[in-house]
């Protein structure tokens, strides 16, 4: 059996130019107004949160991909090819949901030829087990909240700022995993030294 170095949770989400209305502060008597062009253009995001299976000190890794339209099998294979470069040939176990593009005949055939990759499915109807869902929630509550952009590039820029924010806080990706209730590493005994 091949030893897996990284456990990577992957998920896709959609964004549009319609603002996600969130509560905000304003001076008394001045209700803030969001003005937008009622544009229905959409983009899709793929996020992958990776955790090293044996060495928690290596930190979590976040990969991100944004594209106009939606993901199909070919686009997801492209994301996985970029992930292969990102992980520099290390072994990766990808955990994702039951989206048809994840388990299509073409995806399974492509994955069978990848010696660095294993695919596993999350239980049905269990998005609470995917830490990437908390990544989307964090972006929606901060960078994308009340954003009334004119172009998809505005949404892409805000999303990229959020990804940088999350990448610069090493505890945040681990908190996403902790919130799911899943663990990657066995707990360390407090009386064992690190060098043992």
């Amino acid at each position: 059996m091949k030893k897996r170095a990284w456990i990577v949770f992957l998920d896709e989400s959609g964004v549009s130019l319609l603002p996600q209305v969130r509560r905000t502060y304003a001076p008394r008597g001045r209700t803030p107004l969001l003005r937008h062009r009622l544009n229905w253009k959409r983009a899709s995001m793929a996020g992958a949160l990776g955790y090293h299976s044996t060495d928690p000190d290596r930190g979590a890794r976040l990969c991100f991909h944004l594209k106009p339209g939606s993901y199909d099998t070919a686009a997801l294979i492209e994301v996985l090819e970029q992930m292969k470069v990102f992980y520099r040939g290390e072994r990766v176990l990808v955990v994702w949901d039951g989206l048809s593009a994840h388990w299509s005949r073409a995806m399974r055939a492509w994955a069978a030829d990848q010696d660095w990759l294993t695919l596993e499915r999350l239980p049905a109807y269990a998005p609470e087990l995917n830490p990437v869902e908390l990544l989307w929630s964090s972006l929606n509550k901060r960078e994308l909240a009340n954003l009334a952009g004119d172009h998809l590039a505005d949404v892409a820029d805000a999303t990229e700022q959020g990804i940088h924010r999350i990448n610069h806080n090493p505890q945040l990706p681990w908190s996403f995993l902790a919130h799911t209730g899943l663990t990657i590493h066995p707990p360390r005994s407090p009386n064992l030294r690190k060098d043992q």
Side-chain angles (χ1 to χ4, degrees), residues 54-74:
T54 58
D55 187 1
D57 296 328
R58 290 194 61 183
R61 288 187 176 175
L62 172 58
C63 301
F64 180 74
H65 187 267
L66 181 72
K67 72 178 278 317
S70 59
Y71 284 99
D72 58 6
T73 300

Side-chain angles (χ1 to χ4, degrees), residues 12 46 65 67 70-82 96 99-108 110:
E12 305 82 23
H65 187 267
K67 72 178 278 317
S70 59
Y71 284 99
D72 58 6
T73 300
L76 286 170
I77 288 173
E78 181 183 317
V79 169
L80 292 172
E81 288 283 2
Q82 290 178 8
W96 54 10
L99 183 72
S100 60
H102 293 171
W103 301 103
S104 68
R105 191 172 295 146
M107 177 63 77
R108 286 180 288 157
W110 177 84

Side-chain angles (χ1 to χ4, degrees), residues 13 15 43-46 64-68 71 79 152-153 155-157 159-160:
S13 182
V15 291
S44 295
M45 308 179 289
F64 180 74
H65 187 267
L66 181 72
K67 72 178 278 317
Y71 284 99
V79 169
L152 282 175
V155 175
D157 290 343
T159 304
E160 191 172 322

Side-chain angles (χ1 to χ4, degrees), residues 109-180:
W110 177 84
D113 291 336
Q114 308 302 312
D115 63 349
W116 63 278
L117 179 68
T118 301
L119 302 177
E120 286 292 333
R121 183 177 178 165
L122 283 167
Y125 308 108
E128 69 277 2
L129 294 178
N130 194 336
V132 182
E133 295 288 348
L134 295 151
L135 167 76
W136 301 142
S137 178
S138 180
L139 291 173
N140 287 333
K141 289 178 182 173
R142 297 267 309 257
E143 286 77 16
L144 298 177
N146 301 320
L147 176 67
D150 291 328
H151 306 285
L152 282 175
D154 299 332
V155 175
D157 290 343
T159 304
E160 191 172 322
Q161 289 173 5
I163 295 298
H164 287 303
R165 172 181 59 85
I166 292 165
N167 269 332
H168 283 88
N169 183 344
Q171 271 70 39
L172 206 49
W174 287 104
S175 72
F176 297 158
L177 180 66
H179 189 76
T180 66

